[in-house]
Amino acid sequence: MLIVGNKVFCANVGDSRAVLARRREIPGPNGITQHKMIGVPLNRDHKADEPDEQHRILQNGGRVAAYRDMQGNPLGPARVWHMHEDIPGLAMSRSFGDQAAAEVGVNSIPEITEMNLTEADKFIILASDGVWEFISNDQAVNIVMPHYTNNSAEKAAEALIRE
């Protein structure tokens, strides 16, 4: 993440995510405006089964499929494999330093996004898939918000971990 003035730049490789907490005004009952915090993703997860990511893997001689149990039933997320070997089994399509995965199109080229910040933007959560596999963007923002108002990043992180 890089913030310059009112611009935020996000460069991403893998399945970690940056989520911006933004206050939205919504019409409430009797014309009273209500405020709701939402989580705006600043990047996308590089999952193996995203159409463009999967296309690159297939073009490089790999395959994309879930791990299979002893009965052949799929388990877990789509993973990157060599065409005729069960390696590397990586659950993301971009990564640093995995040579076996690089042989079938996994790369470390970041996607870079840019967004203008506004007065409605309050904080950014950076977390790995250990958070995002279980908690939605909006849920994470609402878990962190009370700690933001108390100026406690440490307690915000602890709350996300507990959840």
Side-chain angles (χ1 to χ4, degrees):
M1 300 288 314
L2 173 66
I3 299 174
V4 179
N6 71 333
K7 288 211 181 281
V8 61
F9 300 88
C10 178
N12 181 55
V13 170
D15 56 1
S16 293
R17 189 177 315 148
V19 172
L20 174 70
R22 178 171 281 167
R23 187 183 68 224
R24 280 273 160 90
E25 294 182 356
I26 54 175
N30 301 324
I32 299 172
T33 301
Q34 297 179 334
H35 298 282
K36 177 181 179 183
M37 295 300 295
I38 62 165
V40 179
L42 297 176
N43 62 297
R44 71 174 176 144
D45 301 354
H46 294 127
K47 300 290 188 182
D49 56 355
E50 285 288 321
D52 60 329
E53 299 291 298
Q54 183 171 357
H55 178 75
R56 186 182 67 252
I57 302 303
L58 298 176
Q59 291 292 341
N60 283 278
R63 64 185 163 94
V64 174
Y67 175 80
R68 298 205 175 262
D69 67 15
M70 298 298 280
Q71 291 75 40
N73 299 312
L75 292 175
R79 296 177 178 276
V80 176
W81 308 94
H82 279 228
M83 186 58 72
H84 303 292
E85 295 180 88
D86 286 341
I87 61 169
L90 190 64
M92 64 187 100
S93 57
R94 297 187 193 211
S95 175
F96 287 108
D98 190 323
Q99 187 57 42
E103 292 172 1
V104 291
V106 172
N107 66 43
S108 59
I109 300 168
E111 283 187 316
I112 301 172
T113 59
E114 175 183 335
M115 181 183 286
N116 289 323
L117 297 172
T118 71
E119 290 293 321
D121 300 329
K122 301 304 175 192
F123 56 86
I124 297 172
I125 301 170
L126 302 171
S128 72
D129 64 331
V131 169
W132 305 121
E133 291 292 323
F134 304 101
I135 299 172
S136 74
N137 297 340
D138 290 345
Q139 287 173 314
V141 164
N142 286 305
I143 290 166
V144 168
M145 190 63 197
H147 306 289
Y148 166 75
T149 58
N150 291 327
N151 202 26
S152 180
E154 184 177 352
K155 288 194 185 312
E158 289 171 359
L160 278 175
I161 291 166
R162 269 193 313 277
E163 187 65 30

